[in-house]
C-alpha cells in the first residue's frame, strides 16, 4: 500500500507538469480507453436492444397444451406479452386409436368456447392419418395402412370427425393433416409409399369436404429440410391443399438461421413452392431446439414472418422449445416479447420466463 507521503509527493510532481503535457496525456488516454468502453458496451448489450425487432402482424398463437388447461394458459401468455392478443388456438388429436382421432367433447368444448369469445379467432387442429401414430410402426405396416386408407377403409372416422367439428362450432377449422410426413416420427409418414400417401390425403379431404356445413381449410405441413424424403414428393395436388405449412425448429446443432433459409427444402424453397402453387404459407410449429437460447434464430423467424405474411404461426412453448414456460431461454424470450408483444419489454436482466 502506498503511503500518504508518496501520494502527496506524486501530486506535487503532477502539479509541476506543463499544462500542454497534461492535455496530451489525457488525449492519449481517451484514444485508448473510449474504443474499449464502446466495445464493452456493445458486447454486453442485450440482443433485444441492438435494433428494432420486427413485429410480424400476422395471426399468432402459443401452443401450451391440448387440454382445457392449455386453453386457459393462452390468457396467461397474453399477459406476459403485455396484453397483445393471441388469435390462433392450436391443438392436436391423439393418434393412439381411431376413437381419439374422431375427436371428443372434452377436447373440442374448451376450444370452441375460446374461439366463440372473440370474433376473428382461428382454430388449428393437427389430425393424424393413422392410429398407433407414435408407436414406431414398420415401413410395411405403414404401407399397408396408407393403402387401406386410400381404398376408403377409414372414411367413417374422418366423417365422424368432420361432423363433430361442425357441431361444436369449429366448421372453419384449419386442419393440418398428416404433418411432418417427410420424416420418420409418425406412422402417417410418406416415405414407405408416396403414391399411396397422396391418394390417401386426397380421399380424406374429399370425405371431409362432404360434411354438411363445413368450411375447412387443409394445411400440408412437412418439417423443414429434406429429412427422410424430399417433401415435394408427397405433394397431393393443388385442388386438395389450401395452405402450405412448415414446421421449422432451430435444428440441427450448429446450423445458422441463414443456412436454414438456404438449405434444400428450407425456408426459401418453402416460400417459392407456395408462391408457385398460389397458396398462403403457415408455420404451425416453430421454436428453439438444438442450439439453446438462440436469439438470432428467433429474430430471423420473426423477420421472416413479417416479410412472407403467413396465414398463421404458432410458437411451441414447452422445454426445450419454449420461452414462456422455459426459464432456460431468457434472451430469446425477450425477442419474442418484443416481436409479438403489445409493448417493448425490459432487457433480459429482468427475466422473461413464466412468473
Amino acid at each position: 500500500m502506498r503511503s500518504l507521503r508518496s501520494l502527496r509527493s506524486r501530486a506535487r510532481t503532477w502539479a509541476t507538469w506543463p499544462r500542454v503535457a497534461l492535455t496530451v496525456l489525457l488525449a492519449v488516454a481517451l484514444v485508448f480507453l473510449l474504443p474499449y468502453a464502446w466495445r464493452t458496451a456493445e458486447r454486453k448489450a442485450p440482443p433485444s436492444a441492438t435494433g428494432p425487432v420486427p413485429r410480424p402482424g400476422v395471426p399468432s398463437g402459443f401452443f401450451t397444451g391440448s387440454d382445457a388447461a392449455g386453453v386457459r394458459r393462452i390468457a396467461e401468455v397474453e399477459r406476459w406479452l403485455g396484453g397483445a392478443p393471441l388469435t390462433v388456438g392450436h391443438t392436436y388429436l391423439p393418434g393412439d386409436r381411431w376413437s381419439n382421432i374422431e375427436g371428443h367433447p372434452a377436447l373440442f368444448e374448451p376450444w370452441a368456447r375460446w374461439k366463440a369469445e372473440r370474433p376473428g379467432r382461428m382454430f388449428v387442429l393437427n389430425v393424424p392419418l393413422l392410429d398407433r401414430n407414435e408407436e414406431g410402426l414398420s415401413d410395411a405396416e405403414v404401407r399397408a395402412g396408407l393403402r387401406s386408407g386410400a381404398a376408403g377403409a377409414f372414411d367413417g372416422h374422418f366423417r365422424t370427425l368432420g361432423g363433430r367439428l361442425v357441431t361444436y362450432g369449429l366448421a372453419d377449422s384449419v386442419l393440418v393433416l398428416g404433418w411432418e410426413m417427410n420424416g420418420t416420427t409418425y406412422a402417417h409418414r410418406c416415405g414407405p409409399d408416396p403414391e399411396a400417401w397422396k391418394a390417401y390425403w386426397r380421399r380424406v379431404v374429399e370425405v371431409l369436404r362432404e360434411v354438411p356445413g363445413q368450411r375447412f381449410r387443409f394445411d400440408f405441413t412437412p418439417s423443414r429440410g429434406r429429412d427422410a424424403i424430399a417433401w415435394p414428393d408427397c405433394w397431393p395436388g393443388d385442388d386438395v391443399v389450401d395452405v402450405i405449412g412448415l414446421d421449422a425448429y432451430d435444428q440441427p446443432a450448429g446450423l445458422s438461421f441463414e443456412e436454414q433459409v438456404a438449405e434444400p427444402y428450407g425456408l426459401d424453397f418453402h416460400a417459392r413452392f407456395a408462391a408457385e402453387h398460389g397458396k398462403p404459407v403457415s408455420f404451425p410449429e416453430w421454436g428453439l431446439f438444438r442450439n439453446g437460447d438462440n436469439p438470432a434464430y428467433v429474430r430471423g423467424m420473426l423477420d421472416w414472418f413479417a416479410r412472407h405474411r403467413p396465414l398463421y404461426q404458432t410458437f411451441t412453448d414447452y422445454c426445450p422449445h419454449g420461452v414462456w414456460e422455459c426459464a432456460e431461454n431468457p434472451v430469446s424470450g425477450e425477442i419474442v416479447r418484443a416481436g409479438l408483444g403489445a409493448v417493448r419489454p425490459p432487457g433480459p436482466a429482468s427475466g422473461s420466463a413464466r412468473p
Side-chain angles (χ1 to χ4, degrees):
M1 181 180 291
R2 297 187 180 96
S3 67
L4 182 58
R5 180 180 296 176
S6 174
L7 292 175
R8 285 176 177 171
S9 174
R10 183 164 300 187
R12 285 196 298 271
T13 303
W14 290 343
T16 63
W17 283 16
R19 290 185 178 181
V20 174
L22 184 58
T23 302
V24 171
L25 181 62
L26 290 173
V28 171
L30 287 172
V31 167
F32 283 97
L33 292 176
L34 284 178
Y36 173 78
W38 290 335
R39 289 194 300 270
T40 302
E42 182 179 359
R43 183 171 62 248
K44 291 182 178 179
S48 59
T50 59
V53 177
R55 297 179 180 271
V58 299
S60 298
F62 264 60
F63 177 74
T64 64
S66 292
D67 55 5
V71 180
R72 291 194 298 271
R73 291 188 194 107
I74 293 176
E76 298 179 45
V77 176
E78 288 176 330
R79 287 192 291 273
W80 178 74
L81 290 170
L86 294 172
T87 58
V88 178
H90 185 185
T91 194
Y92 300 74
L93 289 171
D96 54 344
R97 61 192 66 174
W98 281 111
S99 59
N100 284 330
I101 296 174
E102 292 175 350
H104 284 286
L107 181 68
F108 290 154
E109 284 179 349
W111 289 105
R113 287 195 299 271
W114 173 85
K115 185 175 183 299
E117 286 171 358
R118 187 182 302 166
R121 285 177 168 174
M122 179 188 303
F123 181 61
V124 179
L125 181 67
N126 278 45
V127 180
L129 292 181
L130 292 174
D131 65 344
R132 298 182 295 155
N133 199 37
E134 297 183 46
E135 296 184 14
L137 301 188
S138 68
D139 283 355
E141 291 174 300
V142 169
R143 190 177 301 111
L146 295 176
R147 292 177 179 178
S148 294
F154 312 130
D155 289 2
H157 301 300
F158 294 104
R159 194 172 292 113
T160 298
L161 169 63
R164 287 177 176 170
L165 286 168
V166 172
T167 297
Y168 283 96
L170 301 170
D172 59 349
S173 299
V174 176
L175 303 182
V176 187
L177 303 180
W179 67 100
E180 298 182 12
M181 75 298 292
N182 56 322
T184 58
T185 302
Y186 301 109
H188 61 219
R189 60 189 184 269
C190 172
D193 194 334
E195 294 306 314
W197 194 94
K198 291 184 282 190
Y200 184 24
W201 169 288
R202 297 185 63 84
R203 179 140 196 147
V204 171
V205 170
E206 290 167 1
V207 168
L208 287 167
R209 283 178 174 170
E210 292 173 353
V211 173
Q214 67 81 28
R215 304 188 307 279
F216 303 135
R217 284 177 287 184
F218 298 96
D219 190 329
F220 171 88
T221 297
S223 57
R224 196 201 71 240
R226 179 180 174 84
D227 215 324
I229 185 173
W231 56 260
D233 292 348
C234 309
W235 177 249
D238 288 355
D239 58 325
V240 289
V241 174
D242 300 296
V243 187
I244 301 177
L246 197 70
D247 287 352
Y249 290 98
D250 185 22
Q251 63 175 340
L255 193 70
S256 69
F257 179 75
E258 291 74 19
E259 290 170 317
Q260 295 176 24
V261 170
E263 70 176 327
Y265 313 109
L267 288 165
D268 184 63
F269 182 91
H270 171 243
R272 288 187 286 108
F273 186 90
E276 290 167 2
H277 289 268
K279 308 293 182 183
V281 298
S282 72
F283 292 88
E285 296 182 30
W286 70 284
L288 301 161
F289 198 10
R290 303 293 186 186
N291 295 297
D293 189 1
N294 187 359
Y297 159 79
V298 173
R299 184 185 290 269
M301 289 295 291
L302 292 174
D303 180 63
W304 194 261
F305 300 157
R307 286 189 284 132
H308 293 276
R309 316 303 298 175
L311 179 69
Y312 69 93
Q313 64 88 10
T314 309
F315 189 85
T316 300
D317 200 86
Y318 55 84
C319 286
H321 310 304
V323 294
W324 175 67
E325 286 194 286
C326 202
E328 290 85 346
N329 302 315
V331 182
S332 296
E334 292 305 315
I335 300 293
V336 171
R337 292 178 76 190
L340 300 180
V343 295
R344 190 177 181 87
S350 65
S352 64
R354 175 184 177 185

